[in-house]
C-alpha cells in the first residue's frame, strides 16, 4: 500500500513543512482533478502559490493557521499539535 493512500497522521511528524508536503501529495492522490486554483478558492488563501511558498520556507503567520488547519482537515487535537509544530519551527 502506498504510504499516502491514507491521510498522513500529523502525530508522526516533527516538521510541519514535511507534513504539508505529504498532505499535498495525499490531496493530489485523493482528487485527480486537484488544482491550486481550486484549493485557493475553497480555502481562503489569497495566492495559488501560498501553499508551496510555506512548504519552501515562507513563514506561516498566525492569520493563516486556521486556513491550513481546514485544508489539512484537522480536528481540534490535531490542530493543537500542528500549531505547536509551527510555533516550534518558527521560534528563534
Amino acid at each position: 500500500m502506498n504510504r499516502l493512500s491514507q491521510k498522513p497522521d500529523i502525530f508522526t511528524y516533527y516538521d510541519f513543512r514535511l507534513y504539508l508536503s505529504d498532505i499535498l501529495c495525499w490531496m493530489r492522490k485523493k482528487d485527480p482533478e486537484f488544482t491550486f486554483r481550486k484549493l485557493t478558492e475553497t480555502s481562503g488563501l489569497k495566492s495559488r502559490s501560498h501553499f508551496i511558498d510555506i512548504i519552501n520556507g515562507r513563514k506561516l503567520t498566525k492569520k493563516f493557521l486556521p486556513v491550513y488547519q481546514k485544508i489539512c482537515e484537522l480536528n481540534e487535537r490535531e490542530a493543537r499539535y500542528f500549531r505547536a509544530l509551527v510555533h516550534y519551527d518558527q521560534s528563534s
Side-chain angles (χ1 to χ4, degrees):
M1 179 190 317
N2 184 327
R3 72 180 185 91
L4 293 178
S5 60
Q6 295 181 340
K7 180 183 167 196
D9 179 5
I10 183 74
F11 298 111
T12 63
Y13 291 83
Y14 298 108
D15 180 340
F16 84 93
R17 295 177 201 284
L18 179 59
Y19 176 71
L20 290 178
S21 179
D22 285 352
I23 281 287
L24 179 59
C25 291
W26 173 71
M27 288 188 299
R28 286 178 168 157
K29 186 172 183 82
K30 182 175 83 166
D31 180 5
E33 297 179 10
F34 171 86
T35 63
F36 283 106
R37 178 181 213 156
K38 189 188 320 182
L39 178 66
T40 303
E41 291 170 355
T42 60
S43 68
L45 292 176
K46 304 295 183 204
S47 162
R48 285 183 265 177
S49 66
H50 195 271
F51 198 97
I52 295 297
D53 291 344
I54 297 298
I55 289 172
N56 289 330
R58 180 176 176 183
K59 184 175 181 177
L60 179 53
T61 61
K62 199 174 185 179
K63 173 184 173 182
F64 283 101
L65 277 172
V67 173
Y68 279 84
Q69 291 166 192
K70 178 184 171 189
I71 289 170
C72 297
E73 302 173 9
L74 301 175
N75 63 37
E76 185 52 40
R77 184 171 168 251
E78 293 167 328
R80 279 194 310 270
Y81 186 76
F82 180 76
R83 288 190 302 268
L85 289 178
V86 171
H87 293 306
Y88 178 76
D89 180 80
Q90 297 181 158
S91 64
S92 46

